[in-house]
Coordinates of all heavy atoms in Angstrom, one line a residue:
M1 N -40.0 18.4 36.2 CA -39.0 17.6 36.7 C -38.9 16.3 35.9 O -39.9 15.6 35.5 CB -39.3 17.3 38.2 CG -38.1 16.5 38.9 SD -36.6 17.5 39.0 CE -35.4 16.2 39.6
A2 N -37.7 15.8 35.6 CA -37.4 14.6 34.9 C -37.9 13.4 35.6 O -37.8 13.4 36.9 CB -35.9 14.5 34.5
N3 N -38.3 12.4 34.8 CA -38.7 11.0 35.5 C -37.6 10.1 35.3 O -37.6 9.1 36.2 CB -40.0 10.6 34.8 CG -41.2 11.5 35.1 OD1 -41.3 12.0 36.3 ND2 -42.0 11.6 34.1
I4 N -36.8 10.1 34.4 CA -35.8 9.1 34.1 C -34.6 9.3 35.0 O -34.2 10.5 35.1 CB -35.4 9.2 32.6 CG1 -36.6 8.8 31.7 CG2 -34.2 8.2 32.2 CD1 -36.5 9.0 30.3
K5 N -34.1 8.3 35.6 CA -32.9 8.4 36.5 C -31.8 9.0 35.9 O -31.1 9.9 36.6 CB -32.5 7.0 36.9 CG -31.6 7.0 38.2 CD -31.3 5.7 38.6 CE -30.4 5.6 39.8 NZ -30.1 4.3 40.3
S6 N -31.4 8.7 34.6 CA -30.2 9.4 34.0 C -30.5 10.9 33.8 O -29.5 11.7 33.9 CB -29.9 8.7 32.7 OG -30.9 8.8 31.9
A7 N -31.7 11.2 33.6 CA -32.0 12.7 33.4 C -31.9 13.4 34.7 O -31.4 14.6 34.7 CB -33.4 12.9 32.8
K8 N -32.3 12.8 35.7 CA -32.2 13.4 37.0 C -30.8 13.6 37.5 O -30.4 14.6 37.9 CB -32.9 12.5 38.1 CG -34.5 12.4 38.1 CD -35.1 11.6 39.0 CE -36.4 11.5 38.9 NZ -37.1 10.6 39.9
K9 N -29.9 12.7 37.1 CA -28.4 12.7 37.4 C -27.9 13.9 36.6 O -27.0 14.7 37.1 CB -27.8 11.4 37.1 CG -26.3 11.5 37.5 CD -25.6 10.3 37.1 CE -24.1 10.4 37.5 NZ -23.3 9.2 37.1
R10 N -28.2 14.0 35.4 CA -27.8 14.9 34.5 C -28.0 16.4 35.1 O -27.2 17.4 35.0 CB -28.3 14.9 33.0 CG -27.8 13.8 32.2 CD -26.3 13.7 32.2 NE -25.5 14.8 32.0 CZ -24.2 14.9 32.3 NH1 -23.6 13.8 32.8 NH2 -23.6 16.0 32.2
I11 N -29.2 16.5 35.6 CA -29.6 17.9 36.2 C -28.8 18.2 37.4 O -28.3 19.3 37.5 CB -31.2 17.8 36.6 CG1 -32.1 17.7 35.4 CG2 -31.5 19.0 37.5 CD1 -33.5 17.5 35.7
L12 N -28.5 17.2 38.2 CA -27.7 17.4 39.4 C -26.2 17.7 38.9 O -25.6 18.7 39.4 CB -27.7 16.3 40.3 CG -29.1 15.8 41.0 CD1 -28.9 14.5 41.7 CD2 -29.3 16.9 42.0
V13 N -25.7 17.0 38.0 CA -24.3 17.2 37.6 C -24.2 18.5 36.9 O -23.2 19.2 37.1 CB -23.9 16.0 36.7 CG1 -22.5 16.4 35.9 CG2 -23.8 14.7 37.4
T14 N -25.2 18.9 36.0 CA -25.1 20.1 35.4 C -25.2 21.3 36.4 O -24.4 22.4 36.3 CB -26.3 20.4 34.4 OG1 -26.3 19.3 33.5 CG2 -26.3 21.6 33.7
R15 N -26.0 21.2 37.4 CA -26.0 22.3 38.4 C -24.7 22.3 39.2 O -24.2 23.5 39.4 CB -27.2 21.9 39.4 CG -27.4 23.0 40.4 CD -28.6 22.6 41.3 NE -29.8 22.5 40.7 CZ -30.7 21.6 40.9 NH1 -30.6 20.9 42.0 NH2 -31.8 21.6 40.3
T16 N -24.1 21.2 39.5 CA -22.8 21.2 40.2 C -21.8 21.9 39.3 O -21.1 22.7 39.8 CB -22.5 19.9 40.5 OG1 -23.4 19.2 41.2 CG2 -21.1 19.8 41.3
K17 N -21.6 21.5 38.0 CA -20.7 22.1 37.1 C -21.0 23.6 36.9 O -19.9 24.4 36.9 CB -20.7 21.4 35.8 CG -20.0 20.0 35.9 CD -19.9 19.2 34.7 CE -19.2 18.0 34.7 NZ -19.1 17.4 33.5
A18 N -22.2 24.0 36.8 CA -22.5 25.4 36.7 C -22.0 26.3 37.9 O -21.6 27.4 37.6 CB -24.0 25.6 36.4
E19 N -22.3 25.7 39.0 CA -21.8 26.5 40.3 C -20.2 26.5 40.2 O -19.7 27.6 40.6 CB -22.3 25.7 41.5 CG -23.7 25.8 41.7 CD -24.3 25.0 42.8 OE1 -23.5 24.2 43.5 OE2 -25.5 24.9 43.1
R20 N -19.6 25.5 39.8 CA -18.1 25.6 39.8 C -17.7 26.6 38.8 O -16.8 27.3 39.2 CB -17.6 24.2 39.5 CG -16.2 24.0 39.3 CD -15.8 22.6 39.0 NE -14.6 22.6 38.1 CZ -14.5 22.6 36.8 NH1 -15.6 22.7 36.0 NH2 -13.3 22.4 36.1
N21 N -18.2 26.5 37.6 CA -17.8 27.4 36.7 C -18.1 28.9 37.0 O -17.3 29.9 36.7 CB -18.5 27.2 35.3 CG -18.1 25.8 34.7 OD1 -17.1 25.3 35.1 ND2 -19.0 25.4 33.7
K22 N -19.2 29.2 37.7 CA -19.5 30.5 38.1 C -18.5 31.0 39.2 O -18.1 32.1 39.1 CB -21.0 30.5 38.8 CG -21.5 31.8 39.2 CD -22.9 31.6 39.7 CE -23.5 33.1 40.0 NZ -24.9 33.1 40.5
A23 N -18.1 30.1 40.1 CA -17.2 30.5 41.1 C -15.7 30.8 40.5 O -15.1 31.8 40.8 CB -16.9 29.3 42.1
I24 N -15.3 30.0 39.5 CA -14.1 30.3 38.7 C -14.2 31.6 37.9 O -13.2 32.4 38.0 CB -13.8 29.1 37.8 CG1 -13.5 27.8 38.7 CG2 -12.6 29.3 36.9 CD1 -13.4 26.6 37.9
R25 N -15.3 31.8 37.3 CA -15.4 33.1 36.5 C -15.5 34.3 37.5 O -14.8 35.3 37.1 CB -16.8 33.1 35.8 CG -16.8 32.5 34.5 CD -17.9 32.8 33.6 NE -18.3 31.7 32.7 CZ -19.1 30.8 33.0 NH1 -20.0 30.9 34.1 NH2 -19.3 29.7 32.2
S26 N -16.0 34.1 38.6 CA -16.0 35.3 39.6 C -14.6 35.5 40.1 O -14.2 36.7 40.3 CB -16.9 34.8 40.7 OG -16.9 35.8 41.8
E27 N -13.9 34.5 40.3 CA -12.5 34.6 40.7 C -11.6 35.4 39.7 O -10.7 36.2 40.0 CB -11.9 33.2 41.0 CG -10.6 33.2 41.7 CD -10.1 31.7 42.0 OE1 -10.8 30.8 41.8 OE2 -8.9 31.5 42.5
V28 N -11.9 35.0 38.4 CA -11.2 35.7 37.3 C -11.5 37.1 37.3 O -10.7 38.0 37.2 CB -11.5 35.0 36.0 CG1 -11.0 35.9 34.8 CG2 -10.9 33.7 35.9
K29 N -12.7 37.5 37.4 CA -13.3 38.8 37.4 C -12.7 39.6 38.6 O -12.2 40.8 38.4 CB -14.8 38.9 37.4 CG -15.5 38.4 36.1 CD -16.9 38.6 36.4 CE -17.8 38.0 35.2 NZ -19.2 38.0 35.4
T30 N -12.6 38.9 39.7 CA -12.0 39.7 40.8 C -10.5 40.0 40.6 O -10.1 41.1 40.9 CB -12.1 38.8 42.1 OG1 -13.4 38.6 42.3 CG2 -11.6 39.5 43.4
A31 N -9.7 39.0 40.1 CA -8.3 39.2 39.8 C -8.1 40.3 38.7 O -7.3 41.1 38.9 CB -7.8 37.9 39.2
I32 N -9.0 40.4 37.8 CA -8.9 41.5 36.8 C -9.2 42.8 37.4 O -8.5 43.8 37.1 CB -9.8 41.1 35.6 CG1 -9.3 39.9 34.7 CG2 -10.0 42.4 34.6 CD1 -10.3 39.5 33.7
K33 N -10.1 42.8 38.2 CA -10.4 44.2 38.9 C -9.3 44.6 39.7 O -9.0 45.8 39.9 CB -11.8 43.9 39.8 CG -13.1 44.0 39.0 CD -14.2 43.7 39.9 CE -15.5 43.5 39.2 NZ -16.6 43.1 39.9
K34 N -8.6 43.7 40.3 CA -7.6 44.1 41.2 C -6.4 44.7 40.3 O -5.8 45.7 40.8 CB -6.8 42.8 42.0 CG -7.7 42.4 43.2 CD -7.2 41.2 43.8 CE -8.1 40.8 44.9 NZ -7.5 39.5 45.6
V35 N -6.1 44.2 39.2 CA -5.1 44.8 38.2 C -5.6 46.1 37.9 O -4.8 47.1 37.9 CB -4.9 43.9 37.0 CG1 -4.0 44.5 35.9 CG2 -4.6 42.4 37.3
H36 N -6.9 46.3 37.4 CA -7.3 47.7 37.1 C -7.3 48.6 38.2 O -7.0 49.8 38.1 CB -8.8 47.6 36.5 CG -8.8 46.9 35.1 ND1 -8.1 47.3 34.1 CD2 -9.6 45.8 34.6 CE1 -8.3 46.6 33.0 NE2 -9.2 45.7 33.4
A37 N -7.5 48.2 39.5 CA -7.5 49.1 40.6 C -6.1 49.6 40.9 O -5.8 50.7 41.1 CB -8.0 48.3 41.8
A38 N -5.1 48.7 40.7 CA -3.7 49.0 40.8 C -3.2 50.0 39.7 O -2.5 51.0 39.9 CB -2.8 47.8 40.8
I39 N -3.7 49.8 38.5 CA -3.5 50.7 37.4 C -4.1 52.0 37.7 O -3.4 53.2 37.5 CB -4.1 50.1 36.2 CG1 -3.3 48.9 35.7 CG2 -3.9 51.2 34.9 CD1 -3.8 48.2 34.5
E40 N -5.4 52.1 38.2 CA -6.0 53.3 38.6 C -5.2 54.1 39.6 O -5.1 55.4 39.6 CB -7.4 53.2 39.0 CG -8.3 52.7 37.8 CD -8.6 53.8 36.8 OE1 -8.7 55.0 37.2 OE2 -8.5 53.4 35.6
A41 N -4.7 53.3 40.5 CA -3.9 54.0 41.6 C -2.5 54.3 41.2 O -1.7 54.9 42.0 CB -3.8 53.0 42.8
N42 N -2.1 54.0 40.0 CA -0.7 54.3 39.4 C 0.3 53.7 40.2 O 1.4 54.3 40.4 CB -0.7 55.8 39.3 CG 0.2 56.1 38.0 OD1 0.4 55.4 37.2 ND2 0.5 57.5 38.0
D43 N 0.1 52.6 40.7 CA 1.1 51.7 41.4 C 1.6 50.6 40.6 O 0.9 49.5 40.5 CB 0.4 51.2 42.8 CG 1.4 50.6 43.7 OD1 2.6 50.4 43.3 OD2 1.1 50.2 44.8
K44 N 2.8 50.9 40.0 CA 3.3 49.9 39.1 C 3.7 48.5 39.7 O 3.4 47.5 39.1 CB 4.5 50.5 38.4 CG 5.0 49.7 37.1 CD 5.6 50.6 36.1 CE 6.0 49.8 34.9 NZ 5.3 49.9 33.7
A45 N 4.2 48.6 40.8 CA 4.6 47.3 41.5 C 3.4 46.5 41.9 O 3.4 45.3 41.7 CB 5.5 47.6 42.8
A46 N 2.4 47.1 42.4 CA 1.2 46.3 42.7 C 0.4 45.9 41.4 O -0.1 44.8 41.5 CB 0.3 47.3 43.5
A47 N 0.5 46.7 40.4 CA 0.0 46.2 39.1 C 0.6 45.0 38.6 O -0.1 44.1 38.1 CB -0.1 47.4 38.1
A48 N 2.0 45.0 38.7 CA 2.7 43.8 38.2 C 2.4 42.6 39.0 O 2.2 41.6 38.5 CB 4.2 44.2 38.2
T49 N 2.3 42.8 40.3 CA 2.0 41.7 41.2 C 0.5 41.1 41.0 O 0.4 39.9 40.8 CB 2.0 42.0 42.7 OG1 3.3 42.6 42.9 CG2 1.9 40.9 43.6
A50 N -0.4 42.1 40.8 CA -1.7 41.7 40.5 C -1.9 40.9 39.1 O -2.6 40.1 39.0 CB -2.7 43.0 40.5
L51 N -1.1 41.4 38.1 CA -1.0 40.8 36.8 C -0.6 39.5 36.9 O -1.2 38.6 36.2 CB -0.1 41.7 35.9 CG 0.1 41.1 34.5 CD1 -1.2 41.1 33.7 CD2 1.1 41.9 33.7
T52 N 0.5 39.1 37.6 CA 0.9 37.8 37.7 C -0.1 36.9 38.3 O -0.3 35.8 37.7 CB 2.2 37.8 38.6 OG1 3.2 38.7 38.2 CG2 2.8 36.4 38.7
E53 N -0.7 37.4 39.3 CA -1.9 36.5 40.0 C -3.0 36.4 39.1 O -3.5 35.3 39.0 CB -2.3 37.3 41.3 CG -3.5 36.7 41.9 CD -3.2 35.4 42.6 OE1 -1.9 35.2 43.0 OE2 -4.0 34.5 42.8
A54 N -3.4 37.4 38.3 CA -4.5 37.3 37.3 C -4.2 36.4 36.2 O -5.0 35.5 35.8 CB -4.9 38.7 36.8
T55 N -3.0 36.4 35.7 CA -2.6 35.5 34.7 C -2.7 34.1 35.1 O -3.2 33.3 34.4 CB -1.1 35.8 34.2 OG1 -1.0 37.2 33.8 CG2 -0.7 35.0 33.1
S56 N -2.2 33.8 36.3 CA -2.3 32.5 36.8 C -3.7 32.0 36.9 O -4.1 30.9 36.6 CB -1.7 32.5 38.2 OG -1.8 31.2 38.8
V57 N -4.6 32.8 37.5 CA -6.1 32.5 37.7 C -6.7 32.3 36.3 O -7.5 31.3 36.1 CB -6.7 33.6 38.5 CG1 -8.3 33.4 38.5 CG2 -6.2 33.6 39.9
I58 N -6.4 33.2 35.4 CA -7.0 33.0 34.1 C -6.5 31.7 33.3 O -7.3 31.0 32.8 CB -6.7 34.2 33.2 CG1 -7.4 35.5 33.8 CG2 -7.1 34.0 31.7 CD1 -6.9 36.7 33.2
D59 N -5.3 31.4 33.4 CA -4.7 30.2 32.8 C -5.4 28.9 33.5 O -5.7 28.0 32.7 CB -3.2 30.2 32.9 CG -2.6 31.1 32.1 OD1 -3.1 31.6 31.1 OD2 -1.3 31.4 32.3
K60 N -5.6 28.9 34.8 CA -6.2 27.8 35.5 C -7.7 27.7 34.9 O -8.2 26.5 34.7 CB -6.2 28.0 36.9 CG -4.8 27.8 37.5 CD -4.9 28.0 39.0 CE -3.5 27.9 39.5 NZ -3.4 28.3 41.0
A61 N -8.4 28.8 34.8 CA -9.8 28.7 34.3 C -9.8 28.2 32.9 O -10.7 27.4 32.5 CB -10.4 30.0 34.4
S62 N -8.8 28.5 32.0 CA -8.8 28.0 30.7 C -8.5 26.5 30.8 O -9.1 25.8 29.9 CB -7.6 28.7 30.0 OG -7.5 28.2 28.7
T63 N -7.5 26.1 31.6 CA -7.2 24.7 31.7 C -8.4 23.8 32.1 O -8.6 22.7 31.6 CB -6.1 24.5 32.7 OG1 -5.0 25.3 32.3 CG2 -5.7 23.0 32.7
K64 N -9.3 24.4 33.0 CA -10.4 23.7 33.5 C -11.6 23.8 32.5 O -12.7 23.2 32.8 CB -10.9 24.3 34.8 CG -9.9 24.0 35.9 CD -10.1 24.6 37.2 CE -9.1 24.3 38.2 NZ -9.5 24.9 39.5
G65 N -11.4 24.5 31.4 CA -12.5 24.5 30.4 C -13.6 25.6 30.6 O -14.6 25.6 30.0
V66 N -13.3 26.5 31.6 CA -14.3 27.6 31.9 C -14.2 28.5 30.7 O -15.3 29.1 30.3 CB -14.0 28.1 33.2 CG1 -15.0 29.3 33.5 CG2 -14.2 27.1 34.2
Y67 N -13.0 28.9 30.3 CA -12.8 29.8 29.3 C -12.0 29.2 28.1 O -11.4 28.3 28.4 CB -11.9 31.0 29.6 CG -12.7 31.9 30.5 CD1 -12.2 32.2 31.9 CD2 -13.6 32.9 30.1 CE1 -12.9 33.1 32.7 CE2 -14.4 33.8 31.0 CZ -13.8 33.9 32.2 OH -14.4 34.7 33.1
H68 N -12.4 29.5 26.8 CA -11.7 29.1 25.7 C -10.3 29.5 25.7 O -10.0 30.7 26.3 CB -12.3 29.5 24.4 CG -11.8 28.8 23.2 ND1 -10.8 29.4 22.5 CD2 -12.3 27.8 22.5 CE1 -10.5 28.7 21.5 NE2 -11.4 27.7 21.4
K69 N -9.2 28.9 25.2 CA -7.9 29.3 25.3 C -7.7 30.7 24.6 O -6.9 31.5 25.2 CB -6.9 28.2 24.8 CG -7.1 27.9 23.3 CD -6.1 27.0 22.7 CE -6.2 26.8 21.2 NZ -5.0 26.4 20.5
N70 N -8.3 30.9 23.5 CA -8.1 32.2 22.9 C -8.7 33.4 23.8 O -8.2 34.5 23.8 CB -8.9 32.3 21.5 CG -8.1 31.3 20.6 OD1 -7.1 30.8 20.9 ND2 -8.7 31.1 19.4
N71 N -9.9 33.1 24.4 CA -10.5 34.1 25.3 C -9.6 34.4 26.4 O -9.4 35.6 26.8 CB -11.9 33.6 25.9 CG -12.7 34.6 26.5 OD1 -12.2 35.6 26.9 ND2 -13.9 34.2 26.8
A72 N -8.9 33.3 27.0 CA -8.1 33.5 28.2 C -6.9 34.3 27.7 O -6.4 35.2 28.3 CB -7.7 32.2 28.7
S73 N -6.4 34.0 26.5 CA -5.2 34.6 26.0 C -5.5 36.1 25.7 O -4.6 37.0 26.0 CB -4.8 33.9 24.7 OG -3.6 34.6 24.1
R74 N -6.6 36.3 25.2 CA -7.0 37.7 25.0 C -7.1 38.6 26.3 O -6.6 39.8 26.4 CB -8.3 37.8 24.3 CG -8.8 39.2 23.9 CD -10.1 39.3 23.1 NE -11.2 38.9 23.9 CZ -12.0 37.7 23.7 NH1 -11.7 37.0 22.7 NH2 -13.0 37.5 24.5
K75 N -7.7 38.0 27.3 CA -7.8 38.7 28.6 C -6.4 38.9 29.1 O -6.1 40.1 29.6 CB -8.5 37.8 29.6 CG -10.1 37.7 29.4 CD -10.7 36.9 30.4 CE -12.2 36.6 30.1 NZ -13.0 37.9 30.1
V76 N -5.5 38.0 29.1 CA -4.1 38.2 29.6 C -3.4 39.3 28.8 O -2.7 40.1 29.3 CB -3.3 36.9 29.6 CG1 -1.9 37.1 29.9 CG2 -3.9 35.9 30.5
S77 N -3.5 39.2 27.5 CA -2.9 40.2 26.6 C -3.4 41.6 26.9 O -2.5 42.5 27.0 CB -3.2 39.8 25.1 OG -2.5 40.7 24.3
R78 N -4.7 41.8 27.1 CA -5.2 43.1 27.3 C -4.7 43.7 28.7 O -4.4 44.8 28.8 CB -6.7 43.1 27.3 CG -7.2 42.9 25.8 CD -8.7 42.9 25.8 NE -9.2 42.9 24.3 CZ -10.3 42.7 23.9 NH1 -11.3 42.5 24.9 NH2 -10.7 42.6 22.7
L79 N -4.7 42.7 29.8 CA -4.1 43.1 31.0 C -2.7 43.6 30.9 O -2.3 44.6 31.5 CB -4.2 42.1 32.0 CG -5.8 41.8 32.6 CD1 -5.8 40.6 33.5 CD2 -6.3 43.0 33.2
N80 N -1.9 42.7 30.2 CA -0.4 43.0 29.9 C -0.3 44.4 29.3 O 0.6 45.1 29.7 CB 0.2 41.9 29.1 CG 1.2 41.2 29.8 OD1 1.9 41.7 30.6 ND2 1.4 39.9 29.4
A81 N -1.1 44.7 28.3 CA -1.0 45.9 27.6 C -1.3 47.1 28.5 O -0.6 48.1 28.4 CB -1.9 45.9 26.3
A82 N -2.4 46.9 29.3 CA -2.7 48.0 30.2 C -1.6 48.3 31.3 O -1.3 49.3 31.6 CB -4.0 47.5 30.9
V83 N -1.0 47.3 31.7 CA 0.2 47.4 32.7 C 1.3 48.1 32.0 O 1.9 48.9 32.6 CB 0.5 46.1 33.4 CG1 1.7 46.3 34.3 CG2 -0.7 45.6 34.3
N84 N 1.6 47.5 30.8 CA 2.8 48.1 30.1 C 2.6 49.6 29.8 O 3.6 50.3 29.5 CB 3.2 47.3 28.9 CG 3.6 45.9 29.3 OD1 4.2 45.7 30.5 ND2 3.6 44.9 28.4
K85 N 1.4 49.9 29.5 CA 1.0 51.4 29.2 C 1.2 52.3 30.3 O 1.3 53.6 30.1 CB -0.4 51.3 28.7 CG -0.7 52.5 27.9 CD -2.2 52.3 27.3 CE -2.7 53.6 26.5 NZ -4.0 53.3 26.1
M86 N 1.3 51.9 31.5 CA 1.5 52.8 32.7 C 2.8 53.5 32.5 O 3.7 53.1 31.9 CB 1.5 51.9 34.0 CG 0.2 51.4 34.4 SD 0.3 50.5 35.9 CE 0.7 51.6 37.1
N87 N 2.9 54.6 33.2 CA 4.0 55.6 33.1 C 5.3 54.8 33.4 O 5.6 54.5 34.5 CB 3.9 56.8 33.9 CG 2.7 57.6 33.4 OD1 2.4 57.4 32.2 ND2 2.1 58.5 34.2

């Protein structure tokens, strides 16, 4: 354990930010899974709705610095391609 006050604070702040980032990443993964589930069920309307929701969640995660903008863009692009590929 750190002895210096600023180091103790850094430990607390890092833990808090890590928990926040983990929650945001989990939310993104859940949104992506919902899109894939709709695609598997072959439900185009549900897939489009889930895609809109997932895009929003991914963009927010990118804005908050959890994902790099290119990573977020790649995730959205792949989801878009998967939904467009449906019958």
